[in-house]
């Protein structure tokens, strides 16, 4: 199919619908996690946190099993490719579809940060004074 006005280059679908839902879920749920903690809405903090964990696990699996642009193998590159891209020396960069090497790196950093935060939340809390994550009983007081 051609571009919006029937002219120009053809439209190319880059991101699949499930990946878009995943991205927007992160954009909505991370502020919700902050807000629920700041306002002591702990039951919601816990519920939304578990939903977020499910979406993160899905994103990791989608990065292995999903379509080309969602797959880590297609966009996670080594430091040489990242540096070459930043210097404008990567051949074919202008025709690249999906994440650039820097975009791929930021994906890994953001997913890693979210997985770390959610994992810590599972164990967080004080059983004698307030709310706890579902795995809190497994760690010492
Ligand atoms: C990206 C995800 C998350 C964000 C941004 C987030 C954010 C926060 C913030 C800002 C606090 C308040 C810290 C303070 O002021 O002392 C907090 C506390 C807490 N969070 Fe989360 N959290 C996340 C995930 C989770 C998850 C998945 C769970 C468990 C299901 C969880 C359980 C808790 C618990 C139990 C506390 C209380 C800790 C305490 O008072 O000792 N969090 N979180």
């Amino acid at each position: 199919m051609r571009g919006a006005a029937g002219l120009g280059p053809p439209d190319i679908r880059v991101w699949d619908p499930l990946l878009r839902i995943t991205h927007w879920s992160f954009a909505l749920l991370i502020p919700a996690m902050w807000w629920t903690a700041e306002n002591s809405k702990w039951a919601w903090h816990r519920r939304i946190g578990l939903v977020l964990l499910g979406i993160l696990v899905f994103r990791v699996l989608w990065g292995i099993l999903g379509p080309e642009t969602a797959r880590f193998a297609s966009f996670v590159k080594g430091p040489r490719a990242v540096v070459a891209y930043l210097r404008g020396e990567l051949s074919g960069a202008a025709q690249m579809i999906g994440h650039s090497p820097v975009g791929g790196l930021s994906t890994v950093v953001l997913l890693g940060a979210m997985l770390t935060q959610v994992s810590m939340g599972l164990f967080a809390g004080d059983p004698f004074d307030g709310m706890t994550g579902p795995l809190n009983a497994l760690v010492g007081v």
Side-chain angles (χ1 to χ4, degrees), residues 72-126:
F72 297 124
S74 79
F75 62 76
V76 178
K77 308 280 186 210
R80 275 186 204 188
V82 172
V83 172
Y85 177 78
L86 287 172
R87 288 187 174 152
E89 293 166 357
L90 202 65
S91 61
Q95 282 81 43
M96 213 175 266
I97 288 174
H99 287 300
S100 69
V102 177
L105 182 62
S106 71
T107 302
V108 173
V109 171
L110 286 169
L111 281 175
M114 286 191 282
L115 280 167
T116 305
Q117 177 75 38
V118 167
S119 309
M120 289 194 300
L122 296 176
F123 295 93
D126 180 348

Side-chain angles (χ1 to χ4, degrees), residues 7-82:
L7 300 166
D11 288 336
I12 299 173
R13 175 175 284 208
V14 178
W15 310 114
D16 64 276
L18 284 176
L19 197 71
R20 284 168 173 244
I21 293 170
T22 309
H23 284 163
W24 279 104
S25 302
F26 291 147
L28 295 172
L29 297 186
I30 296 291
M33 288 304 283
W34 169 80
W35 189 87
T36 50
E38 288 303 307
N39 294 282
S40 303
K41 309 281 184 205
W42 294 116
W44 280 107
H45 192 75
R46 200 171 155 138
R47 279 184 207 124
I48 298 171
L50 293 176
V51 171
L52 189 57
L53 174 63
I55 296 172
L56 279 166
V57 170
F58 167 78
R59 179 62 188 97
V60 173
L61 290 176
W62 207 232
I64 299 163
L65 306 170
E68 178 76 16
T69 49
R71 257 181 260 154
F72 297 124
S74 79
F75 62 76
V76 178
K77 308 280 186 210
R80 275 186 204 188
V82 172

